[in-house]
Amino acid sequence: MTEATGIVGEFLTLKEGTDADLLAMQCGDFYEFFAEDAEIVADELDLKVSQKSSHGSSYPMAGVPVDDLTPYVSALVERGYRVAIADQHETENGHARDITRVVTPGTHLETGDESAQYLAAVVREATRDGGDTYGIAATDVTTGQFQVTQLDDADAGEALTELYTFGPAEILPGPELRNDDAFLDRLRERTDAALTLHDSASFEPGRASHTVREQFGSETVDSVGIGDKDVALRAAGAVLSYVDDTGVGTLAAVTRLQAYGERAHVDLDATTQRNLELTETMQGDSSGSLFDTIDHTVTAAG
């Protein structure tokens, strides 16, 4: 526990209660970062660092105006940081602050990008015959689109290729994959996604199924064909749980459930897709890709 008091003590206490990398705490007309967070933000965003005294010690402090928070948070999220936001509200005794949301690469609404930005989860479950089944779920929180699939008797390469088609900004590996260094290394090589270890309980079959059915309705879940696909439901439930936990306020808008099986086209593995520069160049830029050349739409809806 920190010995700091006042605003710094409040900041450090709130920071201890979140697993976010950084905390922006509203103090009147500014969002302030203190201690190590201030030094990181100042280094990343070229902000000026001052000092704040508390309980006989001095703490680094950096801040941005309330109205300018979004672009700074966007820049931090693009660099892979998870940023908690603590908003200020009035109380009978003055002011209080609570964490209202956590902005992550896969749940960031103000992306400034017209293309879809997916948050995905991948789950692996061993079958009785020694094979593997993979469940994959992906949502774009800016549009409410939610896609789910289950790959039976599949290998890691097939699962990675399926993930790559979404180009996710953030991926939640299931409990069975978190210690699979080979899979995670391939995931890092083939995507630029941030990897987040979400609460293992959200992947449990019973809880995940309940979460999905509560969100979309049992009739919808059964009608799209995933009611009996436990591994797919585990991935879907974890994604919904994560969106809810980060407090982005969009869970109610996630209503467009779509389940799909084998895609009706020729499969290209992740390496081939990257080498062909279909959606991005070898340098990771969308400009200059095949899609950029033929895309003349101006909105995410096309």
Side-chain angles (χ1 to χ4, degrees):
M1 296 293 291
T2 178
E3 295 182 354
T5 58
I7 290 177
V8 177
E10 186 176 1
F11 177 92
L12 296 177
T13 298
L14 286 172
K15 182 65 186 298
E16 289 173 352
T18 177
D19 60 358
D21 303 308
L22 302 168
L23 170 64
M25 186 176 80
Q26 185 182 3
C27 300
D29 294 331
F30 284 81
Y31 278 97
E32 301 287 359
F33 301 84
F34 294 97
E36 183 181 0
D37 287 23
E39 295 177 333
I40 293 173
V41 170
D43 183 59
E44 292 283 2
L45 305 180
D46 196 27
L47 295 179
K48 181 179 179 180
V49 176
S50 57
Q51 298 293 318
K52 178 72 173 178
S53 297
S54 179
H55 203 69
S57 298
S58 184
Y59 295 85
M61 177 178 73
V64 298
V66 167
D67 293 339
D68 294 337
L69 178 66
T70 296
Y72 285 102
V73 169
S74 295
L76 291 168
V77 170
E78 288 173 1
R79 290 165 169 79
Y81 293 100
R82 302 174 74 248
V83 185
I85 311 295
D87 291 315
Q88 178 178 295
H89 58 89
E90 302 293 331
T91 68
E92 293 181 358
N93 300 319
H95 302 295
R97 300 170 183 88
D98 299 295
I99 294 176
T100 55
R101 62 195 188 279
V102 179
V103 186
T104 75
T107 62
H108 186 34
L109 298 177
E110 294 85 7
T111 63
D113 192 341
E114 295 172 351
S115 61
Q117 179 163 297
Y118 285 98
L119 163 70
V122 54
V123 177
R124 182 178 65 198
E125 191 171 292
T127 60
R128 293 181 179 179
D129 60 4
D132 288 317
T133 296
Y134 287 86
I136 294 173
T139 185
D140 174 14
V141 296
T142 64
T143 64
Q145 185 178 11
F146 198 100
Q147 298 189 53
V148 187
T149 192
Q150 182 164 304
L151 308 176
D152 297 312
D153 296 321
D155 57 31
E158 294 174 87
L160 290 165
T161 295
E162 198 62 46
L163 279 170
Y164 190 79
T165 62
F166 292 104
E170 186 173 10
I171 298 174
L172 314 176
E176 303 83 358
L177 292 169
R178 295 179 183 181
N179 296 320
D180 188 335
D181 293 337
F183 183 89
L184 296 180
D185 286 344
R186 292 175 69 183
L187 199 57
R188 294 185 182 98
E189 290 173 1
R190 299 189 184 196
T191 74
D192 296 321
L195 302 184
T196 301
L197 303 184
H198 185 44
D199 181 17
S200 295
S202 67
F203 290 89
E204 294 177 357
R207 178 171 170 178
S209 178
H210 175 77
T211 299
V212 177
R213 291 179 182 279
E214 187 175 61
Q215 179 68 22
F216 299 108
S218 290
E219 290 186 2
T220 298
V221 171
D222 292 334
S223 67
V224 299
I226 63 170
D228 60 347
K229 297 186 180 297
D230 294 341
V231 186
L233 288 172
R234 290 180 60 199
V239 169
L240 292 172
S241 169
Y242 187 69
V243 173
D244 189 35
D245 285 356
T246 53
V248 295
T250 59
L251 188 60
V254 179
T255 58
R256 300 169 57 191
L257 176 64
Q258 177 185 358
Y260 64 93
E262 296 183 2
R263 297 180 182 270
H265 56 242
V266 176
D267 287 333
L268 300 177
D269 63 31
T271 301
T272 302
Q273 292 180 47
R274 181 180 290 273
N275 290 339
L276 289 175
E277 299 187 321
L278 299 180
T279 59
E280 62 180 29
T281 66
M282 295 292 287
Q283 289 72 41
D285 300 320
S286 59
S287 178
S289 67
L290 174 62
F291 181 74
D292 177 64
T293 302
I294 64 176
D295 177 29
H296 300 291
T297 59
V298 294
T299 67

